[in-house]
C-alpha cells in the first residue's frame, strides 16, 4: 500500500507477531530489524490473512537502536542453523526457533508442576551441592573453591611430591571448604526418600549434573530432572500408573494449549517423519495400552 509502512512487532510471548500500520511520513528511518520500539494507536481487526488484529499506529518511538546492517548477527526473513544461532547465546531468544522452544519448555514445566500439585504433592528444592552420590547414579563433579585449589600444595617442596604427598594434598583440597568431599547433585532421590517419611508426597524439579565423558546427544552434563516420592505404595503398579498419567497428561495439554509453537517447531526444526509421529501420539495419548520398557 503506497504511503504506508508495515512493521512486525514481536515481544516473545507467542509465535504470532503484531503488525503495526503506520503512515510512511511518520515512520522513523532508523527503525530496523532487532531494534526496540514503543508504539501507540488504535487496535483494529486485521486486514491480511492470518492477522486477527493490527495496530493503526499514531506514534512509534525507538527505545533501542540496532545495527542490523553491521554487527547484529540475524537478518530479517532469513533462516539460520541451530549451530550458528548457538554462537550468540545472548541473542538466540530473538529467533523464532529458540523462542518457540523456550515457550514449549516453559509450558512443559508448568504442566508437570500442575500435575503433581493437583495430586497433593509438595515441591521441595533438594540441594545442588551435596556429599552423596545418590548410590552411584552417575559420575559426579567434585566441587572445590577456585581460590583454594592448588595453594594447599605450597608447603611441599618439589622432591617431596611423592604419591603419598599427592594423595594427602588431594584430600586436603577436597575437604578445604566443606570439611568433606562435595559434589554437584546427580539426583534428589535420596533427599526425597527421607522427606517422604514425614510429608508422604513430595517431588523436586531441580538441575542435575553428570560427569560422563561423552559428547554424544544422549549425554548431558547439566539437565533438569523430575523426581517424585510418595509413601504407602502397595505395589509397583501404583508407581508405574503415576508415571503413565504424568506423561499422558503433560503431552496432551502441551499439544492442546501450544499448537502454534508445536506447528512451527515441526515445520521448521523437527526431522522428517516426526510430525507424523506426533499426530499419532496425540490421537492415541489416552490409549489404555501403555508399553513399559524392561531394564
Amino acid at each position: 500500500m503506497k504511503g504506508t509502512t508495515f512493521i512486525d512487532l514481536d515481544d516473545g510471548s507467542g509465535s504470532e507477531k503484531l503488525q503495526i500500520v503506520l503512515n510512511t511520513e511518520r515512520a522513523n528511518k532508523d527503525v530496523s530489524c532487532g531494534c526496540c520500539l514503543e508504539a501507540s494507536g488504535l487496535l483494529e481487526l486485521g486486514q491480511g490473512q492470518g492477522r486477527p488484529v493490527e495496530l493503526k499506529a499514531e506514534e512509534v518511538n525507538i527505545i533501542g537502536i540496532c545495527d542490523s546492517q553491521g554487527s547484529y548477527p540475524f537478518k530479517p526473513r532469513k533462516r539460520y542453523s541451530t549451530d550458528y544461532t548457538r554462537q550468540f547465546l545472548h541473542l538466540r531468544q530473538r529467533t523464532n526457533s529458540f523462542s518457540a522452544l523456550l515457550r514449549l519448555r516453559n509450558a512443559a514445566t508448568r504442566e508437570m508442576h500442575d500435575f503433581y500439585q493437583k495430586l497433593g504433592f509438595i515441591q521441595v528444592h533438594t540441594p545442588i551441592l551435596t556429599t552423596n552420590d545418590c548410590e552411584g547414579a552417575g559420575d559426579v563433579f567434585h566441587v572445590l573453591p577456585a581460590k583454594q585449589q592448588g595453594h594447599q600444595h605450597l608447603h611441599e617442596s618439589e622432591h617431596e611430591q611423592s604419591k603419598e604427598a599427592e594423595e594427602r594434598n588431594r584430600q586436603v583440597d577436597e575437604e578445604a571448604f566443606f570439611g568433606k568431599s562435595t559434589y554437584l547433585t546427580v539426583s534428589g532421590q535420596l533427599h526425597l526418600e527421607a522427606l517422604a517419611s514425614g510429608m508422604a508426597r513430595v517431588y523436586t524439579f531441580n538441575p542435575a549434573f553428570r560427569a560422563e565423558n561423552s559428547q554424544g546427544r544422549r549425554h548431558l552434563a547439566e539437565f533438569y530432572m523430575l523426581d517424585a516420592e510418595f509413601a504407602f505404595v502397595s505395589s509397583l503398579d501404583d508407581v508405574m500408573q503415576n508415571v503413565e498419567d504424568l506423561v499422558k497428561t503433560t503431552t496432551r495439554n502441551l499439544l492442546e494449549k501450544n499448537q502454534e509453537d508445536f506447528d512451527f517447531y515441526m515445520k521448521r526444526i523437527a526431522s522428517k517423519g516426526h510430525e507424523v509421529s506426533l499426530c499419532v501420539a496425540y490421537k492415541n495419548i489416552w490409549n489404555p495400552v501403555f508399553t513399559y520398557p524392561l531394564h
Side-chain angles (χ1 to χ4, degrees), residues 207-221:
F209 305 86
R210 303 288 171 87
E212 282 86 355
N213 188 18
S214 173
Q215 301 297 320
R217 296 179 60 186
R218 295 182 180 275
H219 291 87
L220 295 173

Side-chain angles (χ1 to χ4, degrees), residues 218-250:
R218 295 182 180 275
H219 291 87
L220 295 173
E222 177 185 355
F223 57 95
Y224 271 74
M225 183 161 64
L226 178 69
D227 280 308
E229 292 285 341
F230 50 106
F232 311 114
V233 176
S234 59
S235 70
L236 183 59
D237 289 339
D238 294 338
V239 179
M240 295 168 67
Q241 187 63 54
N242 179 266
V243 175
E244 178 179 337
D245 291 344
L246 169 68
V247 173
K248 286 183 174 182
T249 302
T250 301

Side-chain angles (χ1 to χ4, degrees), residues 15-271:
S15 58
E16 295 295 330
K17 296 176 174 57
L18 175 64
Q19 180 172 267
I20 298 176
V21 182
L22 179 67
N23 189 304
T24 302
E25 294 181 357
R26 296 184 179 182
N28 190 319
K29 295 181 179 180
D30 291 329
V31 173
S32 63
C33 175
C35 70
C36 182
L37 300 177
E38 178 186 52
S40 59
L42 184 62
L43 200 63
E44 298 181 348
L45 292 176
Q47 301 298 317
Q49 185 177 4
R51 296 187 181 275
V53 295
E54 61 185 20
L55 182 67
K56 292 290 183 66
E58 298 175 357
E59 186 178 8
V60 175
N61 298 317
I62 298 179
I63 297 176
I65 61 174
C66 179
D67 184 14
S68 60
Q69 301 301 318
S71 60
Y72 191 66
F74 306 122
K75 308 303 178 186
R77 294 178 293 279
K78 186 175 181 180
R79 297 183 187 179
Y80 295 93
S81 68
T82 53
D83 288 337
Y84 175 83
T85 307
R86 287 192 183 101
Q87 298 178 51
F88 310 97
L89 297 180
H90 63 302
L91 295 174
R92 61 179 177 173
Q93 74 282 355
R94 294 190 176 196
T95 64
N96 293 330
S97 57
F98 271 90
S99 61
L101 181 60
L102 290 172
R103 285 191 296 270
L104 288 172
R105 176 170 176 159
N106 169 70
T109 301
R110 184 183 63 243
E111 293 298 335
M112 287 187 284
H113 280 294
D114 287 348
F115 175 82
Y116 277 112
Q117 290 289 329
K118 290 177 181 178
L119 291 178
F121 280 70
I122 297 173
Q123 182 189 9
V124 178
H125 297 284
T126 53
I128 303 299
L129 300 177
T130 179
T131 57
N132 75 67
D133 65 353
C134 197
E135 301 174 337
D139 294 336
V140 296
F141 286 103
H142 277 89
V143 178
L144 299 174
K147 65 180 180 179
Q148 294 190 25
Q149 291 187 48
H151 69 190
Q152 296 288 348
H153 301 172
L154 297 179
H155 67 280
E156 301 283 359
S157 60
E158 292 185 5
H159 71 276
E160 292 177 318
Q161 289 297 326
S162 61
K163 289 185 178 180
E164 292 79 8
E166 289 178 0
E167 176 63 18
R168 184 165 60 253
N169 286 327
R170 183 188 66 79
Q171 292 176 353
V172 169
D173 272 349
E174 288 184 358
E175 300 177 5
F177 188 87
F178 297 99
K180 59 180 66 178
S181 296
T182 305
Y183 320 102
L184 293 177
T185 181
V186 296
S187 171
Q189 176 187 343
L190 293 182
H191 296 281
L192 291 180
E193 289 179 0
L195 288 164
S197 67
M199 304 185 75
R201 294 187 167 209
V202 290
Y203 77 99
T204 186
F205 190 52
N206 274 9
F209 305 86
R210 303 288 171 87
E212 282 86 355
N213 188 18
S214 173
Q215 301 297 320
R217 296 179 60 186
R218 295 182 180 275
H219 291 87
L220 295 173
E222 177 185 355
F223 57 95
Y224 271 74
M225 183 161 64
L226 178 69
D227 280 308
E229 292 285 341
F230 50 106
F232 311 114
V233 176
S234 59
S235 70
L236 183 59
D237 289 339
D238 294 338
V239 179
M240 295 168 67
Q241 187 63 54
N242 179 266
V243 175
E244 178 179 337
D245 291 344
L246 169 68
V247 173
K248 286 183 174 182
T249 302
T250 301
T251 304
R252 183 196 64 177
N253 290 344
L254 270 177
L255 292 171
E256 289 182 351
K257 299 176 183 179
N258 304 273
Q259 191 63 50
E260 291 180 352
D261 281 328
F262 261 116
D263 288 344
F264 176 85
Y265 196 87
M266 289 299 162
K267 181 179 179 181
R268 298 285 185 88
I269 304 171
S271 303

